[in-house]
Amino acid sequence: MKVAKTITEVRDIVKAARGGREKVGFVPTMGALHAGHVSLIRRSVEDGCFTVVSIFVNPTQFEPGEDFEKYPRPLDSDLKICEDKKVDLVFVPAAGELYGKETLTWVNVEKLTAGLCGRFRPGHFRGVATVCAKLFNIVQPDVAYFGQKDAQQAVVIKKMVADLNMPLEIVVCPTVREPDGLAVSSRNQYLSPQQRKDAACIYNALQKCEQMAKSGITHSPQLIAEMQKIIAATPTVKQIDYIEIVDTQSLQPLDKITDKALVALAVKIGATRLIDNVIVSAGSG
Ligand code: AMP
């Protein structure tokens, strides 16, 4: 496994792999690697790709007052995981390698970033889209792998790639969960034991919504009220940012689930903001 800190090194290594006719698979991450990240790496390796992982805590996607400084950065164990999982190249740039003194060019994906998390983190998706565009330009992958866990991010990146005619495919992989259903996340390690226990309410609420929709209850306000009840009854829940039922492509709110819908939420447990989602079909049970 190679580890590169500079753009030039990445370009040279990827060029050589491509010369050997290898397909290039790319998994962008912020590190603190866990089973969710590993599922994306595994998929890239299984797809037969020369697999590139980036580890970069991207400052431009954090809002002021968020956890940029305290975000975990366990580089040695991340590199070990990458090595174990047969990653070919890890790109670990310093902030100055990706961003110059002043950035005047940003990627703004309109409409899709207005709702859900975008309403609570106004500059977040501009930072995400911009860093992904930069990384795609540097790595030039054939395929990039993203997690369904960050559903809005996956929709936004797919749209950016389509709108800007970027020559790569975006593959979205299923959310990996803990045994109690909590979506695996680097931020779960911020939770106290009690908060961690309580965090299971998030998936419980999503599952309840799934069951109700399958049994024929498809009116969104009723489904949302039920989820709100479950989550609000949990002692360490400090705030519900949103619980929404939206179209899986346009991310526009749906009054009723007729076919498929994205049920997405963001909840603060203590100071930790957790997001999760499921795709629900009406009456399919
Ligand atoms: P992050 O390091 O949080 O920026 O995540 C990097 C990638 O891993 C993103 O595409 C996420 O959607 C994906 N990811 C994070 N958590 C999970 C999970 N529990 N299951 C599947 N993918 C995940």
Side-chain angles (χ1 to χ4, degrees):
M1 183 179 83
K2 295 199 163 78
V3 179
K5 290 187 175 167
T6 66
I7 294 168
T8 313
E9 284 173 277
V10 172
R11 289 213 163 113
D12 288 348
I13 295 165
V14 171
K15 198 168 159 195
R18 237 182 235 300
R21 299 200 165 277
E22 285 192 86
K23 190 166 99 165
V24 178
F26 179 42
V27 180
T29 82
M30 298 206 300
L33 301 182
H34 53 59
H37 300 114
V38 168
S39 73
L40 307 184
I41 293 171
R42 191 170 288 137
R43 176 72 196 272
S44 172
V45 171
E46 279 170 9
D47 286 350
C49 293
F50 179 88
T51 299
V52 183
V53 171
S54 64
I55 297 177
F56 180 63
V57 185
N58 174 36
T60 65
Q61 70 186 68
F62 287 78
E63 299 293 332
E66 285 189 348
D67 57 342
F68 175 68
E69 270 86 23
K70 79 164 189 175
Y71 199 86
R73 291 164 169 87
L75 185 59
D76 289 347
S77 71
D78 282 351
L79 292 177
K80 179 154 190 336
I81 291 169
C82 288
E83 181 123 52
D84 285 352
K85 302 303 168 196
K86 309 270 182 277
V87 170
D88 295 293
L89 169 64
V90 187
F91 180 36
V92 196
E97 183 71 9
L98 283 197
Y99 292 100
K101 265 200 203 110
E102 188 182 27
T103 300
L104 298 177
T105 308
W106 298 95
V107 182
N108 257 318
V109 179
E110 296 173 0
K111 279 192 181 169
L112 299 174
T113 58
L116 304 174
C117 282
R119 192 147 63 84
F120 297 86
R121 307 181 77 192
H124 173 68
F125 288 109
R126 183 182 84 151
V128 169
T130 302
V131 82
C132 285
K134 282 169 171 284
L135 290 167
F136 292 168
N137 280 336
I138 294 163
V139 176
Q140 301 197 4
D142 298 288
V143 194
Y145 298 87
F146 286 83
Q148 177 60 28
K149 155 85 173 19
D150 299 272
Q152 187 174 15
Q153 170 173 281
V155 172
V156 166
I157 296 301
K158 273 189 174 171
K159 185 63 176 151
M160 173 187 81
V161 164
D163 282 353
L164 297 181
N165 308 98
M166 293 178 164
L168 76 154
E169 183 194 349
I170 301 297
V171 170
V172 182
C173 302
T175 302
V176 176
R177 300 184 178 281
E178 301 285 358
D180 67 352
L182 177 66
V184 177
S185 164
S186 309
R187 291 189 167 103
N188 292 351
Q189 57 187 275
Y190 299 152
L191 301 171
S192 72
Q194 183 61 47
Q195 290 169 340
R196 169 63 191 83
K197 220 167 128 227
D198 285 357
C201 74
I202 294 172
Y203 191 55
N204 290 341
L206 290 170
Q207 275 188 311
K208 178 75 182 181
C209 177
E210 237 171 348
Q211 287 159 9
M212 287 172 74
K214 277 182 188 163
S215 75
I217 302 168
T218 55
H219 189 46
S220 299
Q222 191 180 347
L223 295 165
I224 291 168
E226 189 60 31
M227 288 188 279
Q228 233 149 13
K229 209 162 79 185
I230 294 170
I231 292 173
T234 307
T236 57
V237 169
K238 201 176 118 202
Q239 188 178 313
I240 300 174
D241 273 0
Y242 66 84
I243 303 176
E244 286 196 51
I245 298 180
V246 300
D247 181 82
T248 55
Q249 306 297 312
S250 71
L251 304 182
Q252 289 302 304
L254 295 172
D255 187 49
K256 193 174 180 334
I257 303 179
T258 48
D259 181 17
K260 270 191 333 181
L262 174 70
V263 184
L265 54 76
V267 168
K268 273 194 186 138
I269 302 207
T272 305
R273 186 172 186 278
L274 300 176
I275 60 169
D276 201 352
N277 69 86
V278 290
I279 292 179
V280 167
S281 308
S284 58

mmCIF file of all heavy atoms in Angstrom, residues 27-37 39-40 56 61 71 145-151 153-154 173-177 182-187, ligand 1:
data_model
loop_
_atom_site.group_PDB
_atom_site.id
_atom_site.type_symbol
_atom_site.label_atom_id
_atom_site.label_comp_id
_atom_site.label_asym_id
_atom_site.label_seq_id
_atom_site.Cartn_x
_atom_site.Cartn_y
_atom_site.Cartn_z
ATOM 1 N N VAL A 27 -12.608 6.097 -2.583
ATOM 2 C CA VAL A 27 -13.449 6.226 -1.384
ATOM 3 C C VAL A 27 -12.983 7.458 -0.602
ATOM 4 O O VAL A 27 -11.981 7.402 0.111
ATOM 5 C CB VAL A 27 -13.348 4.965 -0.486
ATOM 6 C CG1 VAL A 27 -14.238 5.125 0.743
ATOM 7 C CG2 VAL A 27 -13.711 3.701 -1.262
ATOM 8 N N PRO A 28 -13.693 8.602 -0.761
ATOM 9 C CA PRO A 28 -13.309 9.782 0.018
ATOM 10 C C PRO A 28 -13.823 9.691 1.455
ATOM 11 O O PRO A 28 -14.997 9.346 1.665
ATOM 12 C CB PRO A 28 -14.002 10.947 -0.709
ATOM 13 C CG PRO A 28 -14.950 10.358 -1.680
ATOM 14 C CD PRO A 28 -14.799 8.870 -1.704
ATOM 15 N N THR A 29 -12.969 9.986 2.433
ATOM 16 C CA THR A 29 -13.382 9.920 3.844
ATOM 17 C C THR A 29 -12.736 11.054 4.638
ATOM 18 O O THR A 29 -11.794 11.680 4.173
ATOM 19 C CB THR A 29 -12.939 8.599 4.524
ATOM 20 O OG1 THR A 29 -11.558 8.710 4.937
ATOM 21 C CG2 THR A 29 -13.091 7.395 3.627
ATOM 22 N N MET A 30 -13.261 11.223 5.849
ATOM 23 C CA MET A 30 -12.612 12.143 6.793
ATOM 24 C C MET A 30 -11.840 11.355 7.854
ATOM 25 O O MET A 30 -11.471 11.899 8.897
ATOM 26 C CB MET A 30 -13.647 13.051 7.448
ATOM 27 C CG MET A 30 -14.367 13.942 6.429
ATOM 28 S SD MET A 30 -15.002 15.463 7.131
ATOM 29 C CE MET A 30 -16.113 14.834 8.355
ATOM 30 N N GLY A 31 -11.607 10.071 7.601
ATOM 31 C CA GLY A 31 -10.825 9.262 8.536
ATOM 32 C C GLY A 31 -11.651 8.812 9.723
ATOM 33 O O GLY A 31 -12.882 8.845 9.688
ATOM 34 N N ALA A 32 -10.955 8.376 10.804
ATOM 35 C CA ALA A 32 -11.613 7.706 11.935
ATOM 36 C C ALA A 32 -12.430 6.546 11.351
ATOM 37 O O ALA A 32 -13.628 6.406 11.586
ATOM 38 C CB ALA A 32 -12.480 8.659 12.750
ATOM 39 N N LEU A 33 -11.733 5.735 10.576
ATOM 40 C CA LEU A 33 -12.391 4.719 9.752
ATOM 41 C C LEU A 33 -13.112 3.676 10.604
ATOM 42 O O LEU A 33 -12.633 3.268 11.659
ATOM 43 C CB LEU A 33 -11.369 4.041 8.838
ATOM 44 C CG LEU A 33 -10.632 4.983 7.873
ATOM 45 C CD1 LEU A 33 -9.685 4.188 6.972
ATOM 46 C CD2 LEU A 33 -11.602 5.796 7.023
ATOM 47 N N HIS A 34 -14.273 3.268 10.133
ATOM 48 C CA HIS A 34 -15.114 2.299 10.835
ATOM 49 C C HIS A 34 -15.758 1.362 9.812
ATOM 50 O O HIS A 34 -15.454 1.460 8.602
ATOM 51 C CB HIS A 34 -16.165 3.021 11.680
ATOM 52 C CG HIS A 34 -16.985 4.025 10.915
ATOM 53 N ND1 HIS A 34 -17.745 3.704 9.815
ATOM 54 C CD2 HIS A 34 -17.143 5.367 11.088
ATOM 55 C CE1 HIS A 34 -18.355 4.774 9.359
ATOM 56 N NE2 HIS A 34 -18.003 5.806 10.102
ATOM 57 N N ALA A 35 -16.655 0.518 10.312
ATOM 58 C CA ALA A 35 -17.242 -0.513 9.442
ATOM 59 C C ALA A 35 -17.970 0.080 8.229
ATOM 60 O O ALA A 35 -18.044 -0.567 7.177
ATOM 61 C CB ALA A 35 -18.194 -1.389 10.252
ATOM 62 N N GLY A 36 -18.507 1.288 8.359
ATOM 63 C CA GLY A 36 -19.170 1.935 7.216
ATOM 64 C C GLY A 36 -18.178 2.228 6.107
ATOM 65 O O GLY A 36 -18.404 1.885 4.934
ATOM 66 N N HIS A 37 -17.055 2.852 6.478
ATOM 67 C CA HIS A 37 -16.011 3.127 5.483
ATOM 68 C C HIS A 37 -15.489 1.826 4.874
ATOM 69 O O HIS A 37 -15.268 1.734 3.664
ATOM 70 C CB HIS A 37 -14.828 3.848 6.139
ATOM 71 C CG HIS A 37 -15.166 5.165 6.769
ATOM 72 N ND1 HIS A 37 -15.092 5.389 8.122
ATOM 73 C CD2 HIS A 37 -15.586 6.332 6.228
ATOM 74 C CE1 HIS A 37 -15.426 6.641 8.389
ATOM 75 N NE2 HIS A 37 -15.748 7.239 7.266
ATOM 76 N N SER A 39 -16.987 -0.911 4.409
ATOM 77 C CA SER A 39 -17.919 -1.508 3.437
ATOM 78 C C SER A 39 -17.717 -0.876 2.055
ATOM 79 O O SER A 39 -17.857 -1.549 1.031
ATOM 80 C CB SER A 39 -19.370 -1.355 3.901
ATOM 81 O OG SER A 39 -19.809 -0.015 3.760
ATOM 82 N N LEU A 40 -17.386 0.413 2.026
ATOM 83 C CA LEU A 40 -17.150 1.084 0.733
ATOM 84 C C LEU A 40 -15.827 0.597 0.123
ATOM 85 O O LEU A 40 -15.739 0.336 -1.083
ATOM 86 C CB LEU A 40 -17.093 2.607 0.911
ATOM 87 C CG LEU A 40 -18.258 3.296 1.632
ATOM 88 C CD1 LEU A 40 -18.066 4.816 1.628
ATOM 89 C CD2 LEU A 40 -19.582 2.969 0.987
ATOM 90 N N PHE A 56 -9.144 13.095 4.845
ATOM 91 C CA PHE A 56 -8.979 14.550 4.932
ATOM 92 C C PHE A 56 -10.165 15.131 5.677
ATOM 93 O O PHE A 56 -11.305 15.002 5.231
ATOM 94 C CB PHE A 56 -8.904 15.151 3.505
ATOM 95 C CG PHE A 56 -8.726 16.645 3.496
ATOM 96 C CD1 PHE A 56 -7.591 17.229 4.036
ATOM 97 C CD2 PHE A 56 -9.709 17.461 2.950
ATOM 98 C CE1 PHE A 56 -7.430 18.619 4.029
ATOM 99 C CE2 PHE A 56 -9.554 18.843 2.941
ATOM 100 C CZ PHE A 56 -8.415 19.424 3.477
ATOM 101 N N GLN A 61 -16.356 22.220 5.126
ATOM 102 C CA GLN A 61 -17.707 21.669 5.280
ATOM 103 C C GLN A 61 -18.203 21.736 6.725
ATOM 104 O O GLN A 61 -19.288 21.254 7.023
ATOM 105 C CB GLN A 61 -17.782 20.242 4.726
ATOM 106 C CG GLN A 61 -17.046 19.198 5.540
ATOM 107 C CD GLN A 61 -17.052 17.855 4.826
ATOM 108 O OE1 GLN A 61 -16.418 17.707 3.780
ATOM 109 N NE2 GLN A 61 -17.779 16.894 5.351
ATOM 110 N N TYR A 71 -12.691 16.775 15.861
ATOM 111 C CA TYR A 71 -12.984 15.596 15.033
ATOM 112 C C TYR A 71 -11.834 14.590 15.169
ATOM 113 O O TYR A 71 -10.659 14.973 15.070
ATOM 114 C CB TYR A 71 -13.172 16.002 13.569
ATOM 115 C CG TYR A 71 -13.907 14.953 12.769
ATOM 116 C CD1 TYR A 71 -15.297 14.933 12.730
ATOM 117 C CD2 TYR A 71 -13.215 13.957 12.090
ATOM 118 C CE1 TYR A 71 -15.978 13.957 12.019
ATOM 119 C CE2 TYR A 71 -13.896 12.970 11.381
ATOM 120 C CZ TYR A 71 -15.278 12.986 11.355
ATOM 121 O OH TYR A 71 -15.953 12.008 10.657
ATOM 122 N N TYR A 145 -17.209 5.749 -4.400
ATOM 123 C CA TYR A 145 -18.153 5.039 -3.538
ATOM 124 C C TYR A 145 -18.575 5.937 -2.370
ATOM 125 O O TYR A 145 -17.717 6.498 -1.669
ATOM 126 C CB TYR A 145 -17.513 3.749 -3.006
ATOM 127 C CG TYR A 145 -17.164 2.786 -4.121
ATOM 128 C CD1 TYR A 145 -15.938 2.871 -4.779
ATOM 129 C CD2 TYR A 145 -18.078 1.829 -4.546
ATOM 130 C CE1 TYR A 145 -15.611 2.014 -5.816
ATOM 131 C CE2 TYR A 145 -17.762 0.968 -5.591
ATOM 132 C CZ TYR A 145 -16.532 1.065 -6.224
ATOM 133 O OH TYR A 145 -16.226 0.217 -7.261
ATOM 134 N N PHE A 146 -19.891 6.059 -2.180
ATOM 135 C CA PHE A 146 -20.445 6.860 -1.086
ATOM 136 C C PHE A 146 -21.433 6.007 -0.299
ATOM 137 O O PHE A 146 -21.941 5.004 -0.794
ATOM 138 C CB PHE A 146 -21.149 8.106 -1.648
ATOM 139 C CG PHE A 146 -20.178 9.159 -2.136
ATOM 140 C CD1 PHE A 146 -19.619 9.067 -3.399
ATOM 141 C CD2 PHE A 146 -19.804 10.214 -1.323
ATOM 142 C CE1 PHE A 146 -18.702 10.019 -3.846
ATOM 143 C CE2 PHE A 146 -18.890 11.166 -1.753
ATOM 144 C CZ PHE A 146 -18.340 11.070 -3.015
ATOM 145 N N GLY A 147 -21.725 6.442 0.946
ATOM 146 C CA GLY A 147 -22.642 5.692 1.794
ATOM 147 C C GLY A 147 -24.048 6.288 1.787
ATOM 148 O O GLY A 147 -24.204 7.516 1.784
ATOM 149 N N GLN A 148 -25.043 5.424 1.818
ATOM 150 C CA GLN A 148 -26.445 5.852 1.920
ATOM 151 C C GLN A 148 -26.701 6.575 3.243
ATOM 152 O O GLN A 148 -27.628 7.369 3.370
ATOM 153 C CB GLN A 148 -27.360 4.621 1.777
ATOM 154 C CG GLN A 148 -28.847 4.885 1.930
ATOM 155 C CD GLN A 148 -29.399 5.863 0.906
ATOM 156 O OE1 GLN A 148 -28.878 5.971 -0.217
ATOM 157 N NE2 GLN A 148 -30.450 6.580 1.282
ATOM 158 N N LYS A 149 -25.864 6.304 4.233
ATOM 159 C CA LYS A 149 -25.964 6.978 5.539
ATOM 160 C C LYS A 149 -26.110 8.500 5.376
ATOM 161 O O LYS A 149 -26.872 9.143 6.064
ATOM 162 C CB LYS A 149 -24.712 6.635 6.356
ATOM 163 C CG LYS A 149 -24.302 7.598 7.427
ATOM 164 C CD LYS A 149 -25.043 7.336 8.694
ATOM 165 C CE LYS A 149 -24.588 8.131 9.897
ATOM 166 N NZ LYS A 149 -23.836 9.312 9.709
ATOM 167 N N ASP A 150 -25.310 9.055 4.441
ATOM 168 C CA ASP A 150 -25.381 10.494 4.156
ATOM 169 C C ASP A 150 -26.177 10.670 2.856
ATOM 170 O O ASP A 150 -25.626 10.976 1.796
ATOM 171 C CB ASP A 150 -23.965 11.067 4.029
ATOM 172 C CG ASP A 150 -23.190 10.897 5.321
ATOM 173 O OD1 ASP A 150 -23.280 11.780 6.183
ATOM 174 O OD2 ASP A 150 -22.522 9.852 5.496
ATOM 175 N N ALA A 151 -27.487 10.441 2.957
ATOM 176 C CA ALA A 151 -28.329 10.334 1.761
ATOM 177 C C ALA A 151 -28.326 11.619 0.937
ATOM 178 O O ALA A 151 -28.208 11.582 -0.295
ATOM 179 C CB ALA A 151 -29.762 9.988 2.179
ATOM 180 N N GLN A 153 -26.056 13.950 0.848
ATOM 181 C CA GLN A 153 -24.726 14.094 0.244
ATOM 182 C C GLN A 153 -24.631 13.268 -1.047
ATOM 183 O O GLN A 153 -24.134 13.746 -2.070
ATOM 184 C CB GLN A 153 -23.665 13.631 1.244
ATOM 185 C CG GLN A 153 -22.276 13.488 0.692
ATOM 186 C CD GLN A 153 -21.268 13.203 1.794
ATOM 187 O OE1 GLN A 153 -20.860 14.102 2.497
ATOM 188 N NE2 GLN A 153 -20.894 11.950 1.955
ATOM 189 N N ALA A 154 -25.127 12.036 -1.011
ATOM 190 C CA ALA A 154 -25.040 11.164 -2.190
ATOM 191 C C ALA A 154 -25.843 11.756 -3.352
ATOM 192 O O ALA A 154 -25.370 11.765 -4.501
ATOM 193 C CB ALA A 154 -25.541 9.759 -1.842
ATOM 194 N N CYS A 173 -23.610 2.846 -1.416
ATOM 195 C CA CYS A 173 -23.645 1.557 -0.699
ATOM 196 C C CYS A 173 -24.530 1.661 0.548
ATOM 197 O O CYS A 173 -24.650 2.741 1.137
ATOM 198 C CB CYS A 173 -22.230 1.169 -0.279
ATOM 199 S SG CYS A 173 -21.092 1.037 -1.662
ATOM 200 N N PRO A 174 -25.126 0.530 0.974
ATOM 201 C CA PRO A 174 -26.065 0.548 2.104
ATOM 202 C C PRO A 174 -25.439 1.024 3.412
ATOM 203 O O PRO A 174 -24.225 0.882 3.622
ATOM 204 C CB PRO A 174 -26.489 -0.919 2.246
ATOM 205 C CG PRO A 174 -26.007 -1.629 1.049
ATOM 206 C CD PRO A 174 -24.944 -0.812 0.407
ATOM 207 N N THR A 175 -26.270 1.541 4.294
ATOM 208 C CA THR A 175 -25.822 1.997 5.616
ATOM 209 C C THR A 175 -25.456 0.799 6.490
ATOM 210 O O THR A 175 -26.244 -0.141 6.618
ATOM 211 C CB THR A 175 -26.949 2.802 6.300
ATOM 212 O OG1 THR A 175 -27.277 3.902 5.454
ATOM 213 C CG2 THR A 175 -26.532 3.312 7.672
ATOM 214 N N VAL A 176 -24.283 0.862 7.090
ATOM 215 C CA VAL A 176 -23.848 -0.188 8.029
ATOM 216 C C VAL A 176 -24.283 0.238 9.425
ATOM 217 O O VAL A 176 -24.095 1.396 9.827
ATOM 218 C CB VAL A 176 -22.316 -0.372 7.974
ATOM 219 C CG1 VAL A 176 -21.853 -1.386 9.007
ATOM 220 C CG2 VAL A 176 -21.895 -0.806 6.577
ATOM 221 N N ARG A 177 -24.872 -0.702 10.168
ATOM 222 C CA ARG A 177 -25.450 -0.393 11.485
ATOM 223 C C ARG A 177 -24.825 -1.239 12.592
ATOM 224 O O ARG A 177 -24.357 -2.343 12.345
ATOM 225 C CB ARG A 177 -26.969 -0.645 11.461
ATOM 226 C CG ARG A 177 -27.679 0.210 10.441
ATOM 227 C CD ARG A 177 -29.191 0.057 10.437
ATOM 228 N NE ARG A 177 -29.730 0.972 9.439
ATOM 229 C CZ ARG A 177 -29.883 2.267 9.640
ATOM 230 N NH1 ARG A 177 -29.619 2.788 10.822
ATOM 231 N NH2 ARG A 177 -30.326 3.055 8.674
ATOM 232 N N LEU A 182 -28.198 1.444 15.441
ATOM 233 C CA LEU A 182 -27.584 2.771 15.280
ATOM 234 C C LEU A 182 -26.618 2.757 14.090
ATOM 235 O O LEU A 182 -25.772 1.870 13.992
ATOM 236 C CB LEU A 182 -26.832 3.165 16.564
ATOM 237 C CG LEU A 182 -26.092 4.516 16.489
ATOM 238 C CD1 LEU A 182 -27.064 5.686 16.343
ATOM 239 C CD2 LEU A 182 -25.198 4.721 17.709
ATOM 240 N N ALA A 183 -26.760 3.717 13.198
ATOM 241 C CA ALA A 183 -25.850 3.804 12.048
ATOM 242 C C ALA A 183 -24.434 4.054 12.568
ATOM 243 O O ALA A 183 -24.220 4.936 13.409
ATOM 244 C CB ALA A 183 -26.287 4.931 11.128
ATOM 245 N N VAL A 184 -23.482 3.291 12.075
ATOM 246 C CA VAL A 184 -22.090 3.474 12.484
ATOM 247 C C VAL A 184 -21.634 4.866 12.022
ATOM 248 O O VAL A 184 -21.921 5.277 10.897
ATOM 249 C CB VAL A 184 -21.199 2.380 11.842
ATOM 250 C CG1 VAL A 184 -19.745 2.600 12.200
ATOM 251 C CG2 VAL A 184 -21.656 1.000 12.288
ATOM 252 N N SER A 185 -20.968 5.593 12.913
ATOM 253 C CA SER A 185 -20.495 6.940 12.580
ATOM 254 C C SER A 185 -19.271 7.280 13.419
ATOM 255 O O SER A 185 -19.169 6.855 14.580
ATOM 256 C CB SER A 185 -21.601 7.959 12.869
ATOM 257 O OG SER A 185 -21.076 9.264 12.920
ATOM 258 N N SER A 186 -18.367 8.065 12.837
ATOM 259 C CA SER A 186 -17.187 8.513 13.591
ATOM 260 C C SER A 186 -17.626 9.326 14.806
ATOM 261 O O SER A 186 -16.913 9.407 15.796
ATOM 262 C CB SER A 186 -16.288 9.376 12.711
ATOM 263 O OG SER A 186 -16.017 8.712 11.502
ATOM 264 N N ARG A 187 -18.789 9.954 14.715
ATOM 265 C CA ARG A 187 -19.249 10.822 15.814
ATOM 266 C C ARG A 187 -19.877 10.024 16.964
ATOM 267 O O ARG A 187 -20.105 10.598 18.035
ATOM 268 C CB ARG A 187 -20.233 11.861 15.292
ATOM 269 C CG ARG A 187 -19.561 12.901 14.395
ATOM 270 C CD ARG A 187 -20.457 14.073 14.043
ATOM 271 N NE ARG A 187 -19.709 15.171 13.461
ATOM 272 C CZ ARG A 187 -19.682 15.479 12.152
ATOM 273 N NH1 ARG A 187 -20.365 14.755 11.288
ATOM 274 N NH2 ARG A 187 -18.970 16.498 11.722
HETATM 275 P P1 AMP B 1 -17.110 10.501 6.408
HETATM 276 O O1 AMP B 1 -15.749 10.013 6.779
HETATM 277 O O2 AMP B 1 -18.062 10.595 7.557
HETATM 278 O O3 AMP B 1 -17.076 11.753 5.555
HETATM 279 O O4 AMP B 1 -17.735 9.376 5.464
HETATM 280 C C1 AMP B 1 -17.074 8.934 4.319
HETATM 281 C C2 AMP B 1 -17.998 8.048 3.523
HETATM 282 O O5 AMP B 1 -18.398 6.933 4.324
HETATM 283 C C3 AMP B 1 -19.286 8.755 3.090
HETATM 284 O O6 AMP B 1 -19.609 8.358 1.757
HETATM 285 C C4 AMP B 1 -20.300 8.248 4.066
HETATM 286 O O7 AMP B 1 -21.622 8.235 3.569
HETATM 287 C C5 AMP B 1 -19.795 6.818 4.279
HETATM 288 N N1 AMP B 1 -20.330 6.281 5.552
HETATM 289 C C6 AMP B 1 -20.240 6.840 6.784
HETATM 290 N N2 AMP B 1 -20.897 6.089 7.686
HETATM 291 C C7 AMP B 1 -21.421 5.036 7.014
HETATM 292 C C8 AMP B 1 -22.218 3.911 7.374
HETATM 293 N N3 AMP B 1 -22.611 3.705 8.642
HETATM 294 N N4 AMP B 1 -22.572 3.032 6.416
HETATM 295 C C9 AMP B 1 -22.185 3.225 5.115
HETATM 296 N N5 AMP B 1 -21.428 4.268 4.706
HETATM 297 C C10 AMP B 1 -21.058 5.159 5.638
#
